[in-house]
Structures are given as C-alpha cells and as structure tokens.
Amino acid sequence: MPQTFHCASPKLCLPGSIRTRIKSLSRLGQLSCLALVLLTLLALSSWKANAAEPLPNIVLINADDLGLGDVSCYGAKALSTPNLDRLAAGGLRFTDGHASAATCTPSRYSMLTGEYAWRQRGREILTGDANLIIKPGSTTLASILSHAGYRTGIVGKWHLGLGKGKIDWNTNISPGPLDVGFDSQFIIPATLDRVPCVFLEGSKVRNLSVDDPIEVSYSHRVGDLPTGKSHPEMLLMTADDQHSGTIVNGVSRIGFMKGGKSALWSDVDMPDLIVQKSVDFLEESKGKPFFLYLALVEPHVPRIPSARFAGKTPLGPRGDVILQLDWIVGQVLDALDNRGLASNTIVIFTSDNGPVLNDGYGDQAVAKNGTHTPAGPYKGRKYVAYEGGTRVPFIVRWPEKIKPGVSDALVCQIDFPRTFAQLTGQSIESGAAPDSQNMLAPLLGETQQGRKTLVEEGVSEMGFRDGSWKLIVPKNPKKDAGAPTVSVNNSQLFNLAEDEGEKINLAQKDPQRLEAMLAQLQRILNGGTE
C-alpha cells in the first residue's frame, strides 16, 4: 500500500519544493516508508547545505515597563543609556514600534504566539501560581526557530503561567517554556512583585532544599513569614494593600508563600546572575545557531538596584534600575563581540508595554521624576491603549544585513513569529499565528512600509491604528463575554500625523471615518484578520 508523507510537525513544514517532490512520489507508491525517511533527510541536508548563507543568531531582549522616553537615543535627558544608544547606532531604531498590549502577560503572549491575547479568555495579567496559557506543542516563536535548527533558550521573566492544576513547587514543574519550543530555561515564574520569589532552572526550583518545601497561595496567608500588613516596620519601602503580602528581602510582595528559604532570589544580585546565565547560554550554543529570549525585569517594581547603580540618577530607584538594564544589555553585547558572534547576530531590543511611575510601592518615582517624560511625547502609560501604553523602544541590529538608521514604519512584536519563519525559510500552517504578519522587509530596513493597521489592547479600552489615524473605544468590562465589543459612544479619534500627543478628539468632526474605523475594528474583534 502506498505510504503517505506527513510533516513531522502539524504546524511547521519542509520547504515547498521538497514537500512537492516527496508527496508526488509518495502518491505514486514509489517510496517505501524507509526510503521516504531517507529521502526526506537527504533533501533536508541538501537544502541546508545549499543555503546561501548561515542562519543568523537571534537575541531578543524584552524590558519590563520601559517607556520610549526612558532611553537616551529616543530623547531622554535625565539619564543616559549608552549601551542602548550603541545598539541603536549600529542598527535600525523604530519610532513607531509597538507591543500589542499595554500590559505584560497579554503582550508577551502575543509576541510568542502571533495571536492577539484578547482572542482567548484568561490572557490578562496572571498571578504567580497561574497555569500555562500557551497550549503545549503549539506554534510559537521559539518552536519555529527550534524547527529551523536553532538552540532556543529563555532567561528572565516568564509570566505566562506554569503547570496544569495546582502547582507543586517542590517537584518538576510542567508544562512550561520547555513545552512550547524552548530547549532551556532560567526564569522567574511571574514578576518581581509576586511570589514565589524563586528561579526555575530547567523544570525545578533552583537551590530548593527538600527539608524546606514551598507553599504558595493567592487567596489566603500560608506559613508564618511576616507580611507587609503585619510588620510594616520591616519594609525597605512602603507598599499598597495589594503589595502587602509576604515579605522577601525587606519588600512585601503580592501573594503569600512559606518555605524555600535557600531558593529565594536576591534582588540586588539578580542582574549579575541574569548576565551570567545569558552568557552561559551563548557558550553552550557553540556550533549551532541560537535564539536567546532575554526577558529583563527592569524597571518593573519593586525597584531595588544593585549597589553599583543605587543613587546614580536623579530619578531615584526607577532611574537607577534603568541604568542597570542598560548595563545588562551592554554585557550581552560585549559577550557577542568577544566571541566573534556580533556580525551575524540579530539583536532586538524592545519593551513589553509602556512606562509606569507609581505602581504599588513608595519608591519616590513620582516625586523624583521632575521633567522627565517616560513615554516621550505620547499620551498614556502602562495599562492604557493610548500610544504611550504600547509604543515602546524598538531597535533591531544585524551588522551583516541592516544599514543603521531610523525607521517610521509601523511594526509590532506580534509579527515576530511570521517574520522569523520567513527569515528561516519555513511555512506556518493556516490557523497558527493568526494575527502575525511578515514584517521582514521593514525590520531589515528594506522598506519604510510596515503594518497598515494594528489593534492595541488596554485594560479598560481598545486602541486601533489605521495608518496615522488612531481610534480609542471603551472595552467590554465583562471578561467572560467573548470578544470585546465596541460602540460609537465615548469613542475618541486622533490624527497622529498632526497630533502625536492625542490631545484633539476628532470624533465629532469626522463621523464617517469614525464609523468606518469602528466597523473595521469590530470585524477584527469578531474573528476577522487584518
């Protein structure tokens, strides 16, 4: 009986010419199962050998709550970020680069899956004990690159959930990054301000003693460790009620935990450890193209800079940890240089959403901000769908291919899956990465034409870009009501070409454009594609 060829992955397939040859021969019954396998391997070997150039390494650096105006190459004056400036000077600096959402979990989900987070329920900001929200085995940016032959790793913040059901922090924790395309992981489960305050290395909590098991709860207090509410005198900084759970390193966090004393992270030592684990990944990837997703934790709260950066800016701890972030980037760039890897490595720097000053802790971020504008000239911040909530630093460097400069193309992190599938010569099955677009040409600086439209998600509203026009509409407040709905009531319309600060609402002056954009947005929200 003739054997039928199927792609090994339900999502990712061989190059079209190879698929066509194999399928044709298979239908004619000319291949035995063994011969089919041998031909497939030979075809792949030939395809890779005949590739014109070696695949580039990829380092994706994602900051946490960093605004476009926090970086000196984007105009910041209150502090200097020399390593980010160095990266921009050697690459392409985008002025209209975006996260898909104004909060972390949704934007990170979209960046890895190529799907707007609002299309699925439960893709809001997660607790520290939430389950994995990416289906194991599904197509992700990491799995795409893994299928292309990359060694893939994540270092830093995850915040996309872990496990299935109640998490037992004292055993192997799965599923997680290793089940959605990553070969290695060194992660914090959620955020700096959420328990458990531990690292996962592989699928286990790092440095955990079997005699001191961890228990975590987000509903009630566990154990007898002091909390911010019970012992405010122990705190390095004041905290609001939400952030007044278990105290770790003098800072009260969201949620409660007990045990795991030997496994607790040190906030002030974290930057050095993140650098070391990143460099270790580069060393361990010798001889193979690699993809490193470096998910930084700065300048998210709580802001506790290491000694080398404490007090180094007039902006207080928030400014100090931005310097710390810049130093980490510099260490990674130096590691690439020292190993002769920089010329054929794509380095992308961006942020998961816009900036925020007061976010639960009394760290003087507002009092010391002065005239500094974290979002640059744009209205809004983290949590809201105005431009300042999603327009973020977005720098791409590839010395062998990208001519340094500035681009005004509208680009978004959600496009990474299809863009890097294109770069590595892969196909993505219909239905996977549904909102991702191939933006390879603008990312390489070959064109200034990027996206035509973009949906921007805030906590309470939706934003919609159509070229330079921007629509803001209230978001359906019911989380279980399916796709968000919009209406003409309380809508706002802005022309960013003339009003980049979104100060002049043109909804009443241009009702036809308003209605057309509302209809276009609702079509996308109802399942349509852009």
Side-chain angles (χ1 to χ4, degrees):
M1 182 177 180
Q3 300 295 314
T4 302
F5 175 80
H6 296 281
C7 291
S9 164
K11 304 291 186 183
L12 298 172
C13 301
L14 300 172
S17 59
I18 297 175
R19 285 202 311 276
T20 301
R21 285 177 56 201
I22 292 175
K23 286 185 176 180
S24 177
L25 291 172
S26 178
R27 282 194 294 269
L28 294 173
Q30 296 177 4
L31 290 177
S32 67
C33 185
L34 178 59
L36 178 63
V37 172
L38 292 175
L39 177 59
T40 301
L41 294 174
L42 180 62
L44 273 175
S45 176
S46 174
W47 172 60
K48 289 182 178 180
N50 291 332
E53 299 170 337
L55 292 172
N57 305 307
I58 302 169
V59 177
L60 170 57
I61 307 175
N62 197 20
D64 199 354
D65 294 355
L66 185 74
L68 182 144
D70 286 323
V71 182
S72 49
C73 63
Y74 280 97
K77 302 298 183 185
L79 77 173
S80 176
T81 52
N83 292 298
L84 291 176
D85 295 356
R86 159 189 168 195
L87 184 68
L92 200 57
R93 179 172 62 85
F94 288 86
T95 63
D96 205 359
H98 288 258
S100 67
T103 51
C104 48
T105 295
S107 75
R108 291 163 190 265
Y109 173 86
S110 298
M111 181 175 70
L112 290 181
T113 66
E115 178 182 55
Y116 284 126
W118 45 260
R119 292 201 187 276
Q120 304 289 338
R121 295 182 184 180
R123 272 56 176 172
E124 295 94 8
I125 302 172
L126 297 181
T127 59
D129 61 350
N131 288 153
L132 181 67
I133 60 173
I134 301 176
K135 183 179 178 181
S138 59
T139 296
T140 66
L141 174 60
S143 72
I144 289 168
L145 294 173
S146 179
H147 279 277
Y150 281 72
R151 183 169 184 266
T152 58
I154 173 174
V155 174
K157 174 179 174 176
W158 177 238
H159 208 191
L160 293 171
L162 294 163
K164 185 177 182 181
K166 183 175 175 56
I167 301 173
D168 182 354
W169 298 95
N170 308 293
T171 185
N172 288 331
I173 300 172
S174 180
L178 300 180
D179 301 280
V180 294
F182 289 98
D183 297 319
S184 70
Q185 66 178 45
F186 183 82
I187 60 172
I188 69 171
T191 58
L192 288 181
D193 59 347
R194 286 174 170 82
V195 299
C197 299
V198 297
F199 293 105
L200 262 64
E201 190 161 22
S203 58
K204 290 186 177 181
V205 173
R206 179 176 182 262
N207 293 337
L208 179 63
S209 170
V210 295
D211 299 323
D212 188 24
I214 293 173
E215 184 178 348
V216 171
S217 174
Y218 275 75
S219 62
H220 61 278
R221 184 174 178 179
V222 294
D224 57 2
L225 290 175
T227 68
K229 285 187 177 181
S230 65
H231 290 77
E233 75 283 355
M234 296 178 62
L235 298 177
L236 296 176
M237 64 184 79
T238 58
D240 61 16
D241 286 347
Q242 182 189 23
H243 293 81
S244 291
T246 299
I247 297 175
V248 177
N249 301 333
V251 179
S252 54
R253 321 277 170 154
I254 302 174
F256 304 94
M257 72 174 292
K258 72 173 184 178
K261 183 177 180 180
S262 62
L264 295 176
W265 68 50
S266 165
D267 293 85
V268 295
D269 294 334
M270 190 176 294
D272 293 272
L273 186 56
I274 292 297
V275 167
Q276 184 58 58
K277 292 299 179 180
S278 299
V279 174
D280 288 347
F281 177 82
L282 302 184
E283 286 289 336
E284 293 161 3
S285 302
K286 287 182 177 178
K288 191 174 186 179
F290 58 78
F291 166 55
L292 171 62
Y293 173 32
L294 176 51
L296 302 179
V297 298
E298 296 90 356
H300 195 286
V301 295
R303 300 155 181 149
I304 308 174
S306 67
R308 65 165 66 89
F309 301 107
K312 300 299 183 181
T313 74
L315 301 179
R318 184 175 185 274
D320 298 345
V321 296
I322 292 174
L323 291 192
Q324 182 168 285
L325 173 157
D326 183 74
W327 174 81
I328 295 172
V329 172
Q331 294 298 299
V332 173
L333 296 181
D334 288 346
L336 294 172
D337 288 342
N338 295 338
R339 288 159 180 78
L341 299 170
S343 62
N344 196 36
T345 297
I346 299 173
V347 179
I348 301 173
F349 178 85
T350 189
S351 179
D352 63 351
N353 49 249
V356 62
L357 296 181
N358 183 359
D359 206 20
Y361 293 98
D363 61 3
Q364 297 184 295
V366 175
K368 293 194 173 186
N369 188 65
T371 60
H372 178 59
T373 54
Y378 303 103
K379 182 178 182 178
R381 54 179 175 79
K382 180 181 181 180
Y383 304 119
V384 300
Y386 291 104
E387 287 295 283
T390 66
R391 194 183 294 218
V392 292
F394 203 117
I395 302 169
V396 183
R397 189 189 78 172
W398 185 7
E400 286 192 357
K401 295 292 184 181
I402 296 177
K403 182 179 179 180
V406 178
S407 175
D408 296 329
L410 175 61
V411 293
C412 182
Q413 299 159 4
I414 200 171
D415 296 321
F416 290 159
R418 286 199 179 272
T419 296
F420 286 106
Q422 174 70 22
L423 178 69
T424 55
Q426 299 183 81
S427 300
I428 299 179
E429 184 181 80
S430 177
D435 301 300
S436 187
Q437 299 180 14
N438 174 18
M439 289 287 123
L440 185 60
L443 288 190
L444 295 182
E446 296 172 353
T447 177
Q448 292 254 343
Q449 297 299 313
R451 277 180 159 259
K452 177 68 166 59
T453 61
L454 177 67
V455 181
E456 303 167 329
E457 181 184 9
V459 171
S460 302
E461 66 285 314
M462 301 295 291
F464 180 57
R465 284 283 301 275
D466 185 352
S468 63
W469 287 90
K470 173 70 175 284
L471 174 70
I472 295 281
V473 289
K475 186 178 180 181
N476 188 335
K478 295 181 181 179
K479 295 181 180 179
D480 59 350
T485 58
V486 296
S487 68
V488 70
N489 296 328
N490 300 314
S491 297
Q492 302 173 68
L493 181 66
F494 304 100
N495 182 357
L496 299 178
E498 300 175 358
D499 176 28
E500 65 179 1
E502 295 169 285
K503 297 176 181 178
I504 305 171
N505 184 2
L506 301 175
Q508 293 184 351
K509 291 185 177 181
D510 199 344
Q512 289 185 328
R513 185 182 298 275
L514 174 65
E515 291 181 9
M517 290 184 68
L518 280 167
Q520 190 177 8
L521 173 59
Q522 190 62 69
R523 180 187 62 78
I524 297 170
L525 296 178
N526 289 341
T529 56
E530 294 170 87

